[in-house]
Amino acid sequence: MSVSRFPQELLRAQRQVWACEEASRAFVLAGPDSPVAQWPLPRQEEYRRLRAAHDQALRAVREHPLMADAIEDHHWAATIQALSAAARADERMAAA
């Protein structure tokens, strides 16, 4: 699938998933080396907020009509790979 096969809102949603994953990963790596349950409560709350944002972004991708059809037709893996490639290509074109 080419970039043009995916709507811009779906590409943006996929990039938001990646941004949330990166923010969550950076937050965890910058924190103490202990289980989340042992972190101070404000840090636990921030982590939960980051995870909730990730879940919401992922839900936006999965619930998009194009992705919902792909999931229903059992073409999820191929479609998500094509979406990822298209989002990366779209980022490269925007950066150029």
Side-chain angles (χ1 to χ4, degrees):
M1 291 185 161
S2 68
V3 174
S4 62
R5 300 269 327 249
F6 291 101
Q8 284 298 311
E9 71 269 9
L10 185 54
L11 294 172
R12 281 191 298 275
Q14 181 60 48
R15 286 192 297 272
Q16 183 62 35
V17 168
W18 292 334
C20 289
E21 288 171 350
E22 180 58 33
S24 182
R25 186 172 23 261
F27 185 79
V28 168
L29 292 174
D33 189 19
S34 60
V36 174
Q38 295 177 1
W39 291 356
L41 285 178
R43 187 165 183 80
Q44 287 182 35
E45 290 170 1
E46 178 63 13
Y47 179 70
R48 287 188 186 101
R49 187 192 66 73
L50 289 168
R51 296 305 303 165
H54 175 262
D55 292 345
Q56 182 179 357
L58 193 56
R59 194 168 30 260
V61 169
R62 289 183 177 163
E63 291 175 356
H64 188 279
L66 185 96
M67 296 306 292
D69 288 346
I71 291 167
E72 187 175 302
D73 293 339
H74 304 287
H75 293 108
W76 168 252
T79 305
I80 198 67
Q81 287 174 348
L83 173 61
S84 294
R88 285 188 182 97
D90 191 53
E91 284 180 339
R92 283 192 300 272
M93 285 192 309

